[in-house]
């Protein structure tokens, strides 16, 4: 299973909005029997439920901006403490900033565990825009899509280098069929492929 070889698997899915990391996280979750945890889904559920968290994040999300790091730290700490995440998880949409990466490292270290892989789905920008607009989610107007991509470039893309330095980055081309990407990700996790660790576009 994971690099640790103890049947546990802790993974961060990294990539731009629309790169397919949500779809792939769900597939990998089913294959490895660990939860796919999407912070975007959690926040959308909070908004739909009209909870206190939902009321706090609603307008920020509608603009395509990022919810603040402290609030996200609470959300993620609480979620990763659930029993279903004890043997591992696939995080989709977290971390998105350097501060969030620091929080995640802390949470995992406090549990006496370590991160196995950061799976980076690399997709050209024009494909991302096309996919995002085709997806038809309520917050996906053209202006919001562009804003989400800008925020990604500014705040989240630097995490690619952060994790490359830590030897955790595995790069897979995301502009292939869902099945091809899934197969490649599984090879990486199973230690039969390295991903293109040093691919630079
Ligand atoms: P996603 O479904 O991952 O694209 O997330 C949808 C929206 O939820 C984002 O555009 C942000 O407004 C918010 N969000 C989700 N995850 C995070 C995070 N880790 N940090 C800040 N905001 C987030």
């Amino acid at each position: 299973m994971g690099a640790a070889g103890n049947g546990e698997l802790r993974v961060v899915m990294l990539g731009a909005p629309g790169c397919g990391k949500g779809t792939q996280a769900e597939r990998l979750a089913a294959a490895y029997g660990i939860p796919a945890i999407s912070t975007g889904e959690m926040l959308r559920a909070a908004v739909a439920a009209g909870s206190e968290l939902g009321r706090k994040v609603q307008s920020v999300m509608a603009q395509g901006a990022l919810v603040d790091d402290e609030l996200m730290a609470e959300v993620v700490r609480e979620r990763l403490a659930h029993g279903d995440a004890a043997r591992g998880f696939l995080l989709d949409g977290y971390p998105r900033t350097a501060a969030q990466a620091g929080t995640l490292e802390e949470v995992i270290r406090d549990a006496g565990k370590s991160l196995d892989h950061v799976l980076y789905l690399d997709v050209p920008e024009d494909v991302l825009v096309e996919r995002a607009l085709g997806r038809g989610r309520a917050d996906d107007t053209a202006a919001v899509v562009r804003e989400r991509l800008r925020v990604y470039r500014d705040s989240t893309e630097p995490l690619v280098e952060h994790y490359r330095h830590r030897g955790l980055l595995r790069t897979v081309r995301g502009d292939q069929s869902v099945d091809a990407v899934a197969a490649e990700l599984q090879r990486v996790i199973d230690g039969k492929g390295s991903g293109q660790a040093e691919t630079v576009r």
Side-chain angles (χ1 to χ4, degrees):
M1 212 177 185
N6 55 2
E8 301 196 0
L9 181 61
R10 292 175 182 78
V11 170
V12 164
M13 307 293 297
L14 190 60
C19 74
K21 59 190 187 301
T23 302
Q24 295 297 337
E26 294 291 345
R27 301 259 305 226
L28 294 172
Y32 293 95
I34 52 176
I37 298 175
S38 159
T39 48
E41 285 297 335
M42 290 173 72
L43 297 177
R44 277 188 290 280
V47 170
S51 68
E52 191 189 337
L53 173 66
R55 286 195 300 276
K56 282 185 191 164
V57 302
Q58 191 161 24
S59 70
V60 174
M61 288 180 75
Q63 291 159 29
L66 292 183
V67 173
D68 76 77
D69 290 335
E70 282 174 30
L71 194 52
M72 290 311 301
E74 278 177 43
V75 169
V76 161
R77 262 184 209 286
E78 190 184 291
R79 181 63 188 87
L80 293 186
H82 283 202
D84 69 336
R87 290 181 48 255
F89 49 78
L90 295 135
L91 267 177
D92 161 23
Y94 192 96
R96 264 178 155 94
T97 66
Q100 292 183 8
T103 297
L104 180 64
E105 270 150 32
E106 216 177 275
V107 170
I108 294 176
R109 193 182 342 107
D110 288 353
K113 307 294 185 180
S114 58
L115 196 57
D116 296 300
H117 306 284
V118 174
L119 303 178
Y120 172 48
L121 295 188
D122 193 8
V123 176
E125 179 128 357
D126 52 339
V127 177
L128 294 172
V129 173
E130 202 178 297
R131 283 188 187 177
L133 293 175
R135 184 161 65 178
R137 217 166 66 192
D139 60 356
D140 285 352
T141 63
V144 172
V145 166
R146 272 194 299 275
E147 177 60 9
R148 282 158 53 82
L149 284 172
R150 189 192 65 74
V151 169
Y152 171 77
R153 298 284 176 231
D154 285 359
S155 303
T156 308
E157 203 170 51
L159 296 181
V160 170
E161 281 310 312
H162 173 90
Y163 285 121
R164 183 177 281 140
H165 281 301
R166 281 161 178 70
L168 291 172
L169 194 76
R170 330 281 180 231
T171 303
V172 167
R173 283 192 55 169
D175 56 341
Q176 318 175 63
S177 73
V178 171
D179 285 345
V181 174
E184 207 172 316
L185 291 173
Q186 288 204 33
R187 277 197 297 276
V188 169
I189 291 172
D190 295 341
K192 295 171 190 149
S194 57
Q196 297 162 317
E198 297 307 323
T199 298
V200 178
R201 228 177 252 278

